[in-house]
Amino acid sequence: MKRLCLLFKPLLLAAFFGSLGLAVHAAPRALFDGKTFHGWEGETEKIWRVENGEIVAGSPNAKASRNEFLATTRSYGNFDLSLQFKRGKNNGGIQFRSRRVPNHHEVSGYQADLAPGLDGGLYDESRRNRFLSRPAPELVAHISPDEWHRYRIRAEGDRIRLWIDEVLMVDYTETDPAIPREGIIALQIHSGATEIRYKDVVVEELPAAEPSARAFPLGSKNVLALTGGGKTWSAPGFIPFP
């Protein structure tokens, strides 16, 4: 009788499944340490500051003269990002898969918008300069300007989804192959805004592409054995892996 036995310890599981082409996700990690701008760049002398574990832009007593951005120093492709924001009556946003415009204060790319009546919309900042998708008005109605709300952005290949407070606002598929699928993440305060606050910025990097289903043949008497708390399958045909 032919037997196929794969024996391994739990610590080797990631390597084993990675060799099969299965997704191995990186653990979520904080992009903001609550104290410094380590890993970020922008105008941190006059525009951006850290206060009570929060990233704060602007001043309640003065309007921003132009759009300003606090950006990550590295790029991200596929990811799941979450953060909290408190915008007041102001306009801001979260850039992603974006880039700094050379010799300019602007950032070009996708923006998860936040502003009265625009929360949860997907805008193309300094590129196509239009909304790519906007939520139904009833989805926006619950957002209070003076409370903290959680934004979640998930970008996987061509698909982009935005949530606010666990409510799906936008599910958009990019059809233009020329649009970059990776870039910096940046926080925005819009011209004319006074003060916007962000906190609890956490990102989980995702695999470069969703793997397709895989299978390998087993004979009628073959056995695949997984030890260390796993399961044993025995089948005459194919053993599929999700």
Side-chain angles (χ1 to χ4, degrees):
M1 179 179 71
K2 297 181 180 179
R3 295 179 61 88
L4 173 64
C5 295
L6 301 177
L7 305 177
F8 45 81
K9 297 179 180 179
L11 291 177
L12 298 179
L13 280 171
F16 173 74
F17 286 113
S19 69
L20 291 176
L22 301 183
V24 180
H25 292 221
R29 64 184 183 87
L31 284 184
F32 171 54
D33 62 17
K35 299 177 181 179
T36 71
F37 285 122
H38 177 71
W40 298 82
E41 57 85 16
E43 175 46 81
T44 57
E45 296 295 326
K46 298 179 180 179
I47 305 298
W48 299 92
R49 66 186 184 277
V50 176
E51 188 175 283
N52 300 322
E54 303 163 8
I55 297 173
V56 186
S59 166
N61 302 316
K63 294 182 178 181
S65 60
R66 66 184 191 182
N67 293 351
E68 292 283 356
F69 300 86
L70 181 73
T72 58
T73 55
R74 56 159 292 193
S75 293
Y76 296 85
N78 291 341
F79 62 85
D80 197 314
L81 174 76
S82 69
L83 57 79
Q84 293 195 60
F85 69 91
K86 184 192 290 186
R87 61 164 172 78
K89 297 180 180 180
N90 297 302
N91 190 332
I94 303 103
Q95 297 288 140
F96 59 99
R97 290 182 171 178
S98 298
R99 67 180 183 89
R100 289 276 189 185
V101 176
N103 303 313
H104 204 278
H105 64 275
E106 277 289 349
V107 167
S108 171
Y110 295 116
Q111 181 184 108
D113 213 333
L114 55 97
L118 302 175
D119 297 298
L122 180 63
Y123 188 74
D124 205 20
E125 175 82 12
S126 297
R127 188 167 56 189
R128 288 172 284 193
N129 295 310
R130 61 180 174 85
F131 276 96
L132 304 175
S133 183
R134 292 179 63 175
E138 58 268 22
L139 298 180
V140 181
H142 79 282
I143 300 173
S144 171
D146 298 318
E147 295 180 1
W148 287 101
H149 298 278
R150 181 171 296 279
Y151 225 130
R152 181 184 170 201
I153 302 166
R154 189 175 180 95
E156 297 175 281
D158 298 336
R159 189 180 185 188
I160 295 169
R161 283 173 285 176
L162 308 180
W163 291 263
I164 295 181
D165 299 332
E166 308 305 323
V167 176
L168 181 63
M169 310 297 277
V170 161
D171 190 340
Y172 172 77
T173 300
E174 181 59 69
T175 59
D176 186 346
I179 297 297
R181 267 55 172 183
E182 69 173 74
I184 60 172
I185 294 169
L187 309 178
Q188 183 206 49
I189 181 170
H190 199 279
S191 62
T194 52
E195 186 178 84
I196 296 182
R197 294 173 176 262
Y198 302 91
K199 67 177 181 178
D200 300 338
V201 188
V202 176
V203 68
E204 176 187 359
E205 294 190 76
L206 304 176
E210 288 296 327
S212 58
R214 295 171 61 94
F216 61 88
L218 291 179
S220 60
K221 297 182 179 180
N222 291 153
V223 174
L224 172 64
L226 304 180
T227 66
K231 296 180 179 180
T232 300
W233 293 272
S234 179
F238 287 85
I239 300 298
F241 283 85

